[in-house]
Every structure is written in C-alpha cells, then in structure tokens.
Amino acid sequence: MPGVSSFRSNLFRAVLGASAGLVAAFAALAVAALAAGLVRPAAGPVTVVGGAVIDRTPAAVKDFAIRTFGENDKTALRLGILAVLALIAVALGVLALSHRRAGSGGVLLFGAVGAAAALSRPDSAGLGDALPSIAGAVAGALALYVLASKAAPGHVPVRVPVSVPAPVPAPVPTPADADGQHDAERWNRRGFLTAAGVTVAASASAGALGTFLSGRQGQGAVASRADLILPQPASPAPAVPAGARLQIPGVTAFTTPNSDFYRVDTALTVPKVDAGTWRLRIHGEGVTRPRTYTLDQLLARPLIERDITLTCVSNEVGGPYIGTARWLGVPLAGLLEEAGVVPPSRGGEADQLVARSVDGMTLGSPVEDLMDGRDAMLAVGMNGEPLPFDHGFPVRMLVPGLYGYVSACKWITDIELTTFDAYDAYWVKRAWARRAPVKTQSRIDTPKPFARPAAGTVVVAGVAWAQRRGITRVQIRVDDGPWQDADLAAQAGVDTWRQWSYRWGATPGGHTITVRATDGTGQVQTERRTRTIPDGASGRHSVFVTVT
C-alpha cells in the first residue's frame, strides 16, 4: 500500500535524523568536556548555561525548586538542561536530513549561546572560558553534517525494459528492482551506523579524558585539605550540657554531622580551592588599612570555637534546611577593626559588608551586626575537621542570628565595605530583603505527619530556635485544646537550637498537633503564615496523626 509505505519511509527517516542529532549532541558535550578539562572545569557549557538560568530565574521559581527538589535542585536543573538539549538535537537532526547546513548552523548557534553565557558569568576567567562551548559546537556541527549525509537516501534507478516504447508508462518495479532499492537502503544504513559508531566511540573517549583532566585540576585542592591541620582554638566551645541532647527516637540530633548538613547555594559545580593559593582581600569604604590574608596567616591568629545553628531563608515552616555544627574560625570583628573599620553606630562610613565567593556570589551583611559582640567568624573548621568542599573550604563566613543568604558566604575570597544604598548583593537584586534576622521557629520531629501511633502515651518532640535570643518556652496544642508546656532540654547557648518533648495522652481518632515557641525576649512565635520570600517563612508547624 503506497500510503503505508510512504509513512514507514518518513518515520524511518525521522528516526535516522533524530539519531543523528542525538549522536551529534553527545559529541558536542563530550568535546566541550574535554576542552573544559584543559581550560577550566567551571567553564563547561552545561555549567555556565545552568548558572545563567539560575541568575535569571525569578525568586519565586527558585523557591519552588528548593521546596520541590530540595538539595537535588541542581541535579534537576542539569537534567532539565540536558532534556531540552536532547529535544533540540532531535529537531536539528531531522532538519539536517533535508538541509544539512541549516542543521549544522543550528548547532553552532547554540555554541555561541554557551560561549556568551560563559563570558557573562561573574567568575569568568576571560575569553578562554568560551572555548569549551565553541569547540563542542564545532565538533557537534561537523558530526551532524557527516551523519546527515550518511542518512540521506541514495538514488535508486528504475529499470525500464528496452522493448517497451517510450510513450508507454514505466512498469511497476519487479522483485529485482525492490531488492536493488533495499540494497541501497542497507548501504545507507551501514554507512550511517559506521559513522555513528565511530563518533560515539571517539566522543566517549574525549569525554572520559575531559573528566580525568577536570579531576586533576582539583587534586591540588583535595591534597591541600587533606594536609591541613587545624590549630587548637584559643577560645574553645563550652561543653554541651548533658541535658541538651534528648535520647528520644526521631528527634534531630543536637549536632548535625557534616554529611547531613543542609546545602543550599547556586553552585552547579562545587568550587575546589587550593588552600595554598587562596587569598582574602579586605577593602572598601572606611577601610583605612586594606589587608590581604593567606590561610596560614588566618590560622596563626587566635581562633574561636562555637556551637552555632545555621538556618536557610528558604526553610519553610517545619522544613529541613537548618543544622547545628561546632565551628572553628577567626573572629571577624577583629579583622575589620585591624583594617580600620568602625561600625555605623560609632560614626563608621560603611553599613554593609559585601562578601564575595570565588564563583562570583555576593552576600551583604550589616556591619553593625558583625561588630556587636556576637561570634561572627571566618570559619575554617566544622565539627573537628577542615570545612568540607560543599560547605566552603578553605574559608567561609557565618554570622549567628542572620539567615544564610545575608551572612554565610562559602568559598569567600573578598570582603568589601560599602553601603546598602550603594550596592545590592545577589539575592537582594532578586526580591529578597536586605536585612534578615532569623525568626523564632519550632518544629515537630516526631511523630511524623500522617503517623498512626497507638493510643496511650505518645512522645511528641522536636527542636526550636531563635538565634541570638534563645528559647525559653515551647508549647503544644492538640486540635483546638489549650496550650500545654513542653519539657525543654538544657540550653546550650542562645546561638543554637533547643530540643523539647511532651508526653501526650493520645486518644483514638484523627488529631492535629501544633507547636509554638517563645524566645528570650518574650516574643511568642507568630501564627501568621508567610512565604519564605522576602525575609523568611513564619507560622506554626503542625502535623496530623491518626491514633489507633
């Protein structure tokens, strides 16, 4: 049937075109990975395009991504970019069957987009960062052109018997004619599959070599972390009171292991900074004595050790983006004073400190908060070991009582003193507040939502926090009943969370359990629900359970 035959032929061509496009895309990404391994791993096209997408994504969408994907938001973004590239590759492959130059030109266009994204990144190292995208695009365009030419149908002549007069219509092809046509199709397929196989093999080798070279570029940083011996603190952290750690199943541990500590940032590729080459510059308004420090110089100073709870502004009510660690670092106030910085309350010129990361991220902190006596620090250690790379090795900043987006700069390399009127940091430009003290919050860790505990005594427990103010009271309410005081664990300090528990006489049926906390100033946690944007979520955490 001619209609069915035509459909099959078109479908076959579309599959060949899609295959050609996907193989060409693989070649482009592999060659780009090789070039990135030679130039700079962070200049890879997926990384730079992903960074550009993050920078241009509205705050509400970012907030949705964190709520939906959690710490896997970057993996989701990478997969999304690859999925879009795959769809575009399929379309260009089909186009190239009929218009090889147009299809290859489309690949080159996307290479130009990647190059532009690389050069626009805050941490761009110059024109060299465009090389991976350009090299990948050229390789992909050539691969698509060759594959499309192999996939193009060959000319199959129709044999016309000599004895038939010219005016007579050509006869229907004989079985021999069909065999000849199938031979031509088999020849085209063989040529295509051979070219595709060679391209895939060569691309896989290039990609593997690129991965190896990228890994080698981070070996110096890995070695520098392994060789780093943290000095003893001049001011050790007070011992955590024995009663601060409740032994209740399901309650979050007082100290969060490094491997479990939350990570929320915009870095698609975690920076690996060599401690030996790291430098920190302090400069700007009101800095009468600019300074540049090496890590060894910071480690030679008197260090402080403190238990501090950090909270992400993207943490929803009852959310997981909070953790407590024992931090070791250099007091930030002392460094600022040595540079000649004076807080605004004493006539200082600058009211904002802008911290810059090696990847170009900027966070703005109030100078007054940094110099008011709290344990703001440049941290070098976390729970007894050098900072993990995910958490800012070799040095990060942290300020008790402020949400991370205005205080906790990881991989810090530059400190500039300025004013809030003169400069908006990264998140402020994206609708977040300039100032963001941590709000009084509490969370029920056990029982979990929709749990089915047995009737009788059920232990309800969790954590509460109000850094810089401390927690003085936690209360529980079941359904619309009265508020009941929970038992508080010992307070380890005003800069850490506090565990609590309540023994509930549970009766059969469905029940809603709600928690609220009171901080050291007497402020009761508000019941008014707000989103995380612009300065952190508020409201009271509750869980629904069915008692059996």
Side-chain angles (χ1 to χ4, degrees):
M1 298 174 64
V4 174
S5 176
S6 176
F7 172 77
R8 288 178 178 175
S9 177
N10 290 335
L11 178 61
F12 179 70
R13 281 172 51 79
V15 171
L16 278 183
S19 301
L22 292 173
V23 171
F26 178 61
L29 292 174
V31 172
L34 175 59
L38 293 170
V39 176
R40 198 168 68 94
V46 174
T47 299
V48 296
V49 170
V53 169
I54 290 174
D55 289 350
R56 290 160 178 79
T57 299
V61 177
K62 281 194 182 77
D63 200 44
F64 168 80
I66 293 173
R67 283 200 315 273
T68 306
F69 301 109
E71 295 184 37
N72 296 316
D73 57 336
K74 299 167 193 65
T75 300
L77 176 59
R78 285 182 177 275
L79 291 176
I81 291 173
L82 291 175
V84 171
L85 287 177
L87 291 174
I88 294 172
V90 167
L92 291 177
V94 173
L95 173 65
L97 288 184
S98 302
H99 307 281
R100 288 197 287 274
R101 292 182 180 178
S104 298
V107 177
L108 294 175
L109 177 61
F110 276 89
V113 171
L119 296 177
S120 70
R121 303 300 301 140
D123 62 334
S124 174
L127 292 176
D129 279 5
L131 180 61
S133 294
I134 294 174
V138 171
L142 289 175
L144 182 58
Y145 192 90
V146 171
L147 291 169
S149 67
K150 297 293 183 182
H155 174 68
V156 181
V158 177
R159 291 178 293 178
V160 180
V162 176
S163 59
V164 179
V168 178
V172 176
T174 64
D177 297 326
D179 288 341
Q181 185 169 344
H182 291 323
D183 287 339
E185 288 181 356
R186 281 197 294 268
W187 172 256
N188 287 335
R189 271 181 252 160
R190 283 198 297 269
F192 174 82
L193 292 176
T194 299
V198 170
T199 302
V200 169
S203 300
S205 299
L209 180 57
T211 301
F212 171 76
L213 293 174
S214 294
R216 283 180 60 87
Q217 288 200 21
Q219 285 183 354
V222 173
S224 70
R225 183 180 183 275
D227 294 340
L228 182 61
I229 299 176
L230 296 175
Q232 292 298 311
S235 175
V240 177
R245 305 177 190 269
L246 297 181
Q247 303 301 314
I248 298 176
V251 173
T252 301
F254 177 82
T255 300
T256 309
N258 290 356
S259 59
D260 295 336
F261 210 93
Y262 76 90
R263 179 196 164 202
V264 178
D265 54 51
T266 63
L268 286 178
T269 300
V270 174
K272 291 190 175 179
V273 183
D274 192 319
T277 60
W278 176 86
R279 297 292 184 273
L280 173 69
R281 180 187 176 209
I282 300 178
H283 62 105
E285 293 185 38
V287 177
T288 58
R289 295 177 294 276
R291 292 283 193 269
T292 299
Y293 294 95
T294 65
L295 182 60
D296 287 340
Q297 288 173 328
L298 290 186
L299 295 177
R301 299 173 67 90
L303 304 183
I304 61 173
E305 181 184 61
R306 298 290 185 267
D307 292 313
I308 297 173
T309 298
L310 297 188
T311 311
C312 179
V313 74
S314 294
N315 200 42
E316 297 280 352
V317 172
Y321 303 126
I322 179 171
T324 299
R326 178 158 288 190
W327 305 93
L328 177 72
V330 180
L332 184 54
L335 292 173
L336 296 178
E337 289 169 356
E338 288 184 11
V341 178
V342 176
S345 61
R346 290 169 29 209
E349 298 177 28
D351 61 4
Q352 178 181 207
L353 179 151
V354 176
R356 287 186 174 83
S357 167
V358 296
D359 65 352
M361 171 57 66
T362 58
L363 305 182
S365 307
V367 173
E368 196 69 45
D369 291 350
L370 305 178
M371 305 183 75
D372 66 358
R374 72 184 73 191
D375 291 317
M377 69 172 79
L378 295 181
V380 295
M382 181 180 182
N383 290 332
E385 64 178 80
L387 293 172
F389 287 107
D390 280 357
H391 296 290
F393 181 83
V395 180
R396 72 172 297 168
M397 188 173 122
L398 60 90
V399 184
L402 300 182
Y403 284 116
Y405 85 100
V406 293
S407 65
C409 183
K410 296 188 283 191
W411 315 292
I412 189 171
T413 189
D414 185 89
I415 289 176
E416 180 182 2
L417 278 298
T418 182
T419 65
F420 283 106
D421 289 339
Y423 185 83
D424 284 339
Y426 181 91
W427 291 111
V428 176
K429 294 176 181 177
R430 291 159 177 81
W432 296 84
R434 289 177 172 178
R435 302 171 188 269
V438 174
K439 298 179 179 180
T440 301
Q441 284 285 298
S442 53
R443 185 180 72 199
I444 299 171
D445 288 341
T446 183
K448 298 296 184 184
F450 307 111
R452 300 179 66 84
T457 300
V458 174
V459 176
V460 182
V463 290
W465 59 92
Q467 292 92 313
R468 298 304 301 149
R469 303 179 300 280
I471 294 295
T472 59
R473 190 180 193 186
V474 172
Q475 296 174 296
I476 291 297
R477 183 175 65 187
V478 179
D479 300 323
D480 294 323
W483 288 101
Q484 303 287 337
D485 286 336
D487 295 322
L488 294 177
Q491 178 73 66
V494 297
D495 290 334
T496 64
W497 52 17
R498 193 171 188 177
Q499 296 176 333
W500 56 267
S501 65
Y502 176 75
R503 296 175 66 83
W504 170 40
T507 57
H511 299 284
T512 298
I513 309 170
T514 306
V515 62
R516 72 180 184 185
T518 302
D519 66 26
T521 68
Q523 178 183 357
V524 178
Q525 179 180 346
T526 180
E527 65 179 343
R528 179 174 174 268
R529 279 269 181 171
T530 63
R531 300 170 57 201
T532 57
I533 301 171
D535 61 355
S538 66
R540 295 171 182 169
H541 188 217
S542 62
V543 297
F544 179 82
V545 299
T546 301
V547 179
T548 59

